[in-house]
Amino acid sequence: MYDAIVIGGGHNGLACAAYLAKAGRKVLVLERRHVLGGAAVTEELYPGFKYSTCSYVVSLLRPQIIRELNLAKHGLTILPLECSFTPHLEGPGLVRWPESAKTRDEIARYSKRDADVYPEFGRAMLNLARWVKPIIDMPAPDPTSFMPQHLSAMAKLAQRFRSLSPEALSQMTKMMTLSAVDFLDEWFESPILKAPMAVSGIIGTFLGVRSPGTAYVLLHHYMGEIDGAFRAWGLSKGGTGEISLAIARAAEQLGADIRVNAPVAKILMKNGSAQGVVLENGDELKAKIVISGCDPALTFNGFVGRDHLDSEFLSHLDRYRLRGSSGKVNLALDALPEFTCRPGRGLHMKGDIAIAPSIDYLERAYDDAKYGEFSKRPYMNVVIPSLTDPSVAPPGKHVMSIFVQYAPYHLKGGADQWPQQRDAFGDTVIKTLAEYCPDLESKILHRHVLTPWDLEKEYGLTEGNIFHGELSLEQLFFFRPAPGWARYRTPIDRLWMCGSGAHPGGGVMAAPGRLAALRILKEGAV
Amino acid sequence: MPKPTPFHARIQPLCESYDWSIWAGQYAVRAFDVCHEREYNAFRQATGVIDVSPLFKYDIRGPDAAQYLSWITVRDLSTLKVGRSTYLCWTDEQGKVIDDGTCSRIAEGHYRLTAAAPMHHWFTDNARGYTVTIEDVSERYAALAIQGPTSRDVLRSISRDIDVDGMRFFGVQEGMLAGIPAVVTRTGYTGDLGYELWVEQHHALTVWDALFESGDRFGIHPAGLNALDVCRIEAGFLMMGVDYTGAFDALIESQKSTPDELGLGWMVKLERSPFIGQSALRYERKSGPSVSTVGLEIDWVALEELYGRHGLPAALPATAWRDSVPLYKSSRQVGRATSGSWSPILKKNLALARVDSRHSKLGTCLDIEVTVEWARATVPARVVKTPFYDPPQKKAVDSNV
């Protein structure tokens, strides 16, 4: 009998298992697919080309996890991305470099004022990020509880708030309430600069750059920078799956058992308490506790069953917003394409490439999605990892990862329209990108298109939400995934949560997995 | 004025940062860019190329070459086979380390020794009675280190007759590189898979051009000393003049070190033919060294807290540091950290240190001095094993590792 069974071999499930195993607990991880990683996965879908099929960049993977689990020894290397490139149909586009002087020259082409303000903005964000950062490294306290530990954690938070200058407090409030565009309007004048900055506020959400609340997510982009790294965004060598595999190797070395091709059908319940799991093949596996790395909808509607839950929790669950809004196109390329606005193969191609020419372009892309269609000209975030990490493609050839928004899960005719729409969606993406690099189409050896429907069916992400639930304020911190249940416990006795649907949320951080394990151990659950 | 190395014509235009250092009287790049990060990543995930021509190089030839080298260095080189190289050091009569380097047996009766400092005089003085010739070939040969996980692919792409895949760690081969006669050794200073290429200086540019042309698809990138310094600390390699003072440079006795003190005792076999320093080292071996060289991992959480007390985020120098810092055990100074660096790959704050041997056991917790806002404080640092970073491909022969 196991101390704990973890459902789902994604990076969080594996991290949770590794920490439990490190504390001497007997853990089993069950992964439905043939490959570990969940949405942090590398798959060789075309011979010689390793796609980071879903998640493709990493910013906030907690450095203490790399240290504590010795992930470098288990093969993990994070390679920083060079820059952020925004190509335009006319003019040279915009590149934001890690070197501030170079960025200044780039921005000054469009606004001398913005060029001055840009580093100021960075400092202000860094200051706020420092305030918020400890939150992602601690379990969320329960604001309604009078337990001493919660009271003192709340008091500490209040203390931190009070220590903010009035100016910072005002920034913080704006950040929590404004739209990304409104927030940026307070700082910058050039729409060419604002557009690629604003997109950080909408990634993975079903909101537009002008929707209130999107400013907060901008802040997340500055948090990675205070972890002792020069640049916040990076690629995992060998693809994003290497992060999961490194954690898996660490977990196995610490004694955890990991099984692939082991789909869970349901959680074994007895007297309102989780006893273990039943696999799809009928095998019953018992454990003292069950930990779900899957999203709240799949966990409770799928594995637990609604009849085990009270109506209040169910109503929270039903209002929990998943609404996937993005898709992914992965390409194998025979050679590197060329961007018309910046010809040649320079460093500008070694960063992330944002198709976000203007605020209106982004808002129009959202307009399509509002009425149940994928964007005719979508926002795209393109990365060519093989330029930074030659190991993911044969020599001289390349892999291109294209994150696409918006692709609403609920199409006008229903989500099940997606299989018929998949090719049209892929064509739209290629056609739009080809406006910026006309030779793209002639270089494509293989194309792999993932719609939100595919993300749900293949990767178990309900409604194709890449973060296991939107990263909007009302679904974060004390409220993730439901008020009163932000500390990895669930209304079901002996069932815990450790995935991105738990605090502090999505992204390849592995923080929910680690914090859940530490919480479970601290509470003596096993 | 410093002299250009044989690769200068190619390196100079690439060094956009103008960040030059002088290494043994020659121009060496600290970082090609304003930050060395890109170069560091080339070493750790693709291939970094660094010009190591300023190394001192000596060709030792003759029937007595093996006995002679076994006399002047601490290693018994009579067992070094043709096609093999080895890391070694040499000491004075008191067993104090003068310098360290590699010795390669290129052919029967032909060895090449590298050194950080000029040694011709000392090598010649100690050659009396041996039938050997000692030639200073420092200027005759240009040298490039190509280091990193894809360096095998890079090397394979410019060589026809060298058995790149069959070459073991510390292997040596002669052959043609881009049509140029060269010696290739599987050695380096990064602790990863890597090679050093030795060619006559007038062929240097041909080899450079070939490397960068065919290495492009394997992510080849020129690298400077700053990136190398971070890598060598991750690899736990000592640097003469930084982590220890060579016996010829030391002003006082306590500045000198024996191989045992530097953790190089493993290369000293005392029960063999006589060598310089042997009796002193034999004497030391009985009692054990009083000072030891160790690796330290500096507690990151404590460092963050210390900075936090000043309202600051933890800040680290962007490059490796090499100004010694005191180490304490229960408030008594027990040694000093000699160099260190933040390790981007391990996410750890590392240092190399010389400590009183009583406090050198693995796991020992010491306190390292840290100055924040001009106020002195200490944070815990734990003695850990070196190399800190030791990737499997370093020694592997199989190219799939």
Side-chain angles (χ1 to χ4, degrees):
Chain A
M1 172 140 152
Y2 285 97
D3 289 320
I5 288 176
V6 178
I7 307 176
H11 65 285
N12 276 312
L14 293 165
C16 185
Y19 277 94
L20 291 176
K22 200 172 177 207
R25 304 304 188 273
K26 215 161 157 325
V27 198
L28 171 67
V29 180
L30 298 170
E31 168 55 40
R32 180 176 56 87
R33 300 187 72 216
H34 62 284
V35 54
L36 287 173
V41 66
T42 304
E43 294 173 87
E44 195 173 321
L45 298 180
Y46 185 68
F49 294 82
K50 292 180 188 155
Y51 293 151
S52 293
T53 339
C54 302
S55 173
Y56 59 100
V57 283
V58 49
S59 151
L60 287 166
L61 178 64
R62 311 310 303 136
Q64 59 269 52
I65 295 176
I66 299 178
R67 273 196 297 276
E68 289 162 359
L69 298 179
N70 262 321
L71 295 186
K73 198 183 123 213
H74 295 287
L76 178 75
T77 311
I78 304 288
L79 312 166
L81 279 174
E82 286 289 342
C83 56
S84 286
F85 170 38
T86 314
H88 291 152
L89 294 176
E90 281 163 25
L94 173 74
V95 186
R96 288 177 291 148
W97 301 97
E99 297 88 357
S100 55
K102 260 168 103 178
T103 305
R104 190 188 155 80
D105 291 347
E106 293 265 357
I107 299 174
R109 278 195 184 126
Y110 304 103
S111 159
K112 285 215 166 14
R113 188 185 167 279
D114 285 0
D116 281 356
V117 175
Y118 190 75
E120 232 177 86
F121 179 79
R123 273 194 299 275
M125 289 302 102
L126 219 57
N127 237 336
L128 291 181
R130 274 176 50 206
W131 189 87
V132 180
K133 197 202 104 175
I135 292 174
I136 61 176
D137 288 329
M138 71 187 225
D142 181 352
T144 61
S145 165
F146 289 100
M147 302 257 292
Q149 89 236 33
H150 294 259
L151 283 178
S152 82
M154 285 307 287
K156 267 190 208 143
L157 277 178
Q159 186 73 35
R160 294 180 68 81
F161 242 124
R162 284 225 304 277
S163 69
L164 280 175
S165 66
E167 179 52 29
L169 194 60
S170 142
Q171 286 300 343
M172 193 61 142
T173 314
K174 285 176 181 168
M175 182 127 253
M176 301 269 183
T177 53
L178 293 185
S179 75
V181 170
D182 285 340
F183 188 78
L184 292 169
D185 277 345
E186 297 207 345
W187 290 83
F188 302 107
E189 59 184 19
S190 162
I192 283 175
L193 173 63
K194 280 185 280 188
M197 291 181 81
V199 291
S200 348
I202 54 158
I203 288 191
T205 73
F206 197 89
L207 294 167
V209 285
R210 294 199 174 105
S211 310
T214 48
Y216 171 72
V217 188
L218 293 178
L219 195 57
H220 269 260
H221 284 234
Y222 285 86
M223 275 195 257
E225 295 194 12
I226 44 186
D227 284 328
F230 301 109
R231 289 172 227 186
W233 291 89
L235 300 167
S236 162
K237 189 182 169 194
T240 307
E242 278 304 309
I243 297 175
S244 309
L245 293 182
I247 301 173
R249 283 180 215 119
E252 280 184 317
Q253 201 187 55
L254 292 162
D257 290 336
I258 300 173
R259 274 199 232 165
V260 291
N261 292 316
V264 169
K266 58 179 196 189
I267 292 171
L268 203 56
M269 298 286 296
K270 195 177 167 191
N271 303 330
S273 145
Q275 306 288 307
V277 297
V278 186
L279 298 186
E280 276 181 11
N281 66 12
D283 288 359
E284 282 189 12
L285 298 166
K286 296 260 175 95
K288 289 182 193 148
I289 60 168
V290 175
I291 309 165
S292 172
C294 303
D295 67 52
L298 180 58
T299 304
F300 295 106
N301 293 330
F303 298 142
V304 174
R306 292 175 73 89
D307 42 347
H308 292 284
L309 296 158
D310 68 48
S311 58
E312 192 195 333
F313 186 79
L314 282 176
S315 78
H316 281 302
L317 186 65
D318 292 343
R319 274 177 283 151
Y320 186 73
R321 286 181 304 144
L322 286 145
R323 322 190 286 189
S325 62
S326 55
K328 185 82 195 292
V329 176
N330 296 302
L331 301 177
L333 301 177
D334 195 31
L336 209 57
E338 197 166 53
F339 282 84
T340 316
C341 75
R342 267 190 214 213
R345 183 192 145 173
L347 281 177
H348 62 285
M349 299 188 69
K350 287 179 88 173
D352 75 294
I353 303 166
I355 304 300
S358 72
I359 298 284
D360 283 347
Y361 177 99
L362 297 169
E363 194 64 20
R364 266 190 214 110
Y366 181 47
D367 286 345
D368 294 332
K370 274 189 268 186
Y371 307 108
E373 285 173 29
F374 58 79
S375 309
K376 284 177 207 73
R377 299 180 81 198
Y379 157 65
M380 288 181 270
N381 193 267
V382 183
V383 174
I384 310 171
S386 45
L387 278 174
T388 309
D389 171 14
S391 76
V392 294
K397 314 232 183 275
H398 292 280
V399 165
M400 183 183 264
S401 154
I402 311 168
F403 171 87
V404 192
Q405 195 162 324
Y406 298 80
Y409 175 80
H410 294 289
L411 280 180
K412 216 186 293 171
D416 52 7
Q417 293 296 305
W418 267 115
Q420 293 97 286
Q421 294 284 320
R422 191 187 293 120
D423 281 342
F425 173 64
D427 292 345
T428 301
V429 169
I430 302 299
K431 205 179 89 226
T432 312
L433 192 54
E435 292 176 20
Y436 300 86
C437 41
D439 59 344
L440 175 67
E441 272 176 281
S442 65
K443 308 243 151 79
I444 299 174
L445 298 170
H446 174 254
R447 175 174 110 174
H448 170 244
V449 181
L450 277 178
T451 70
W453 187 85
D454 300 311
L455 290 173
E456 179 177 85
K457 296 291 174 273
E458 186 61 37
Y459 298 92
L461 299 168
T462 306
E463 295 191 22
N465 189 297
I466 60 173
F467 293 141
H468 285 195
E470 275 192 357
L471 293 186
S472 47
L473 269 182
E474 76 284 3
Q475 301 199 156
L476 282 174
F477 204 39
F478 316 129
F479 311 119
R480 196 167 186 87
W485 300 108
R487 295 168 69 77
Y488 313 102
R489 260 190 195 288
T490 69
I492 304 292
D493 182 34
R494 299 193 198 175
L495 172 65
W496 297 72
M497 300 280 288
C498 74
S500 295
H503 173 76
V508 192
M509 290 196 263
R514 172 178 180 267
L515 289 173
L518 298 182
R519 197 69 228 153
I520 287 165
L521 292 167
K522 190 155 186 201
E523 292 201 9
V526 281
Chain B
M1 285 297 279
K3 286 184 288 188
T5 75
F7 298 104
H8 194 76
R10 293 293 179 273
I11 290 174
Q12 191 263 329
L14 293 171
C15 185
E16 293 180 45
S17 65
Y18 289 78
D19 192 359
W20 296 95
S21 167
I22 298 160
W23 174 10
Q26 300 178 55
Y27 283 110
V29 174
R30 275 202 192 91
F32 284 86
D33 202 342
V34 290
C35 172
H36 64 273
E37 192 191 17
R38 210 172 273 143
E39 297 156 43
Y40 166 82
N41 280 303
F43 279 140
R44 284 291 175 244
Q45 61 92 17
T47 295
V49 179
I50 183 162
D51 177 6
V52 292
S53 303
L55 276 173
F56 291 90
K57 308 161 211 92
Y58 301 92
D59 273 4
I60 319 290
R61 286 190 176 84
D64 291 347
Q67 293 100 295
Y68 162 72
L69 286 164
S70 305
W71 159 247
I72 60 162
T73 77
V74 302
R75 288 208 104 157
D76 179 3
L77 290 165
S78 62
T79 55
L80 187 74
K81 296 198 177 76
V82 174
R84 298 294 299 158
S85 182
T86 190
Y87 174 55
L88 45 65
C89 67
W90 48 99
T91 70
D92 63 12
E93 287 293 348
Q94 283 70 48
K96 305 293 183 174
V97 176
I98 297 167
D99 198 351
D100 62 313
T102 58
C103 179
S104 304
R105 189 168 181 188
I106 296 170
E108 196 62 41
H110 178 195
Y111 295 79
R112 186 169 296 156
L113 197 57
T114 66
M119 287 292 150
H120 194 250
H121 172 70
W122 190 79
F123 286 165
T124 323
D125 275 4
N126 286 290
R128 280 181 210 117
Y130 292 95
T131 313
V132 288
T133 57
I134 300 158
E135 189 189 355
D136 183 345
V137 292
S138 303
E139 298 209 358
R140 186 167 149 203
Y141 289 104
L144 274 186
I146 63 167
Q147 305 276 309
T150 63
S151 56
R152 180 185 279 120
D153 304 308
V154 173
L155 183 60
R156 201 193 288 119
S157 71
I158 60 159
S159 58
R160 291 239 175 83
D161 59 344
I162 292 174
D163 177 16
V164 176
D165 292 286
M167 195 166 177
R168 288 188 295 139
F169 191 44
F170 276 99
V172 180
Q173 282 191 49
E174 272 187 295
M176 304 295 271
L177 291 180
I180 304 296
V183 171
V184 177
T185 56
R186 188 170 158 185
T187 50
Y189 204 45
T190 60
D192 206 309
L193 175 66
Y195 304 84
E196 288 170 304
L197 319 178
W198 315 83
V199 295
E200 299 224 33
Q201 52 92 11
H202 56 275
H203 291 311
L205 299 182
T206 313
V207 171
W208 176 280
D209 292 341
L211 266 180
F212 279 83
E213 196 191 314
S214 51
D216 188 47
R217 43 199 194 122
F218 304 109
I220 200 168
H221 200 285
L225 297 170
N226 288 354
L228 184 70
D229 216 10
V230 177
C231 291
R232 70 103 189 162
I233 286 168
E234 289 176 336
F237 292 147
L238 303 180
M239 184 178 255
M240 207 252 294
V242 173
D243 300 296
Y244 75 95
T245 309
F248 293 164
D249 296 326
L251 298 172
I252 49 174
E253 209 50 36
S254 65
Q255 289 177 342
K256 299 178 183 174
S257 314
T258 64
D260 278 0
E261 288 174 348
L262 297 181
L264 302 178
W266 55 269
M267 63 169 69
V268 186
K269 298 273 179 299
L270 290 166
E271 302 319 314
R272 67 163 182 90
S273 57
F275 63 93
I276 298 170
Q278 188 181 35
S279 51
L281 292 176
R282 198 173 271 150
Y283 182 77
E284 185 201 38
R285 192 61 64 92
K286 279 185 211 142
S287 50
S290 56
V291 172
S292 298
T293 303
V294 297
L296 293 179
E297 202 179 299
I298 302 163
D299 191 322
W300 180 254
V301 176
L303 190 72
E304 259 187 334
E305 273 169 17
L306 176 61
Y307 275 90
R309 268 179 253 146
H310 293 266
L312 290 170
L316 292 171
T319 51
W321 51 267
R322 43 171 73 177
D323 27 2
S324 286
V325 178
L327 290 168
Y328 303 91
K329 179 81 193 174
S330 319
S331 308
R332 264 200 43 238
Q333 191 179 344
V334 294
R336 60 194 171 92
T338 49
S339 60
S341 175
W342 169 254
S343 163
I345 197 162
L346 300 171
K347 303 281 178 206
K348 288 175 180 173
N349 195 11
L350 309 175
L352 295 169
R354 286 167 74 81
V355 296
D356 184 326
S357 294
R358 283 168 299 178
H359 303 293
S360 65
K361 231 197 266 143
L362 288 182
T364 306
C365 204
L366 304 172
D367 295 306
I368 186 167
E369 186 172 292
V370 180
T371 309
V372 183
E373 290 298 283
W374 303 275
R376 283 184 184 160
T378 62
V379 293
R382 205 160 41 90
V383 176
V384 296
K385 233 173 49 198
T386 57
F388 302 105
Y389 179 65
D390 196 13
Q393 71 267 16
K394 177 172 90 178
K395 293 184 180 173
V397 175
D398 180 0
S399 55
N400 291 322
V401 174

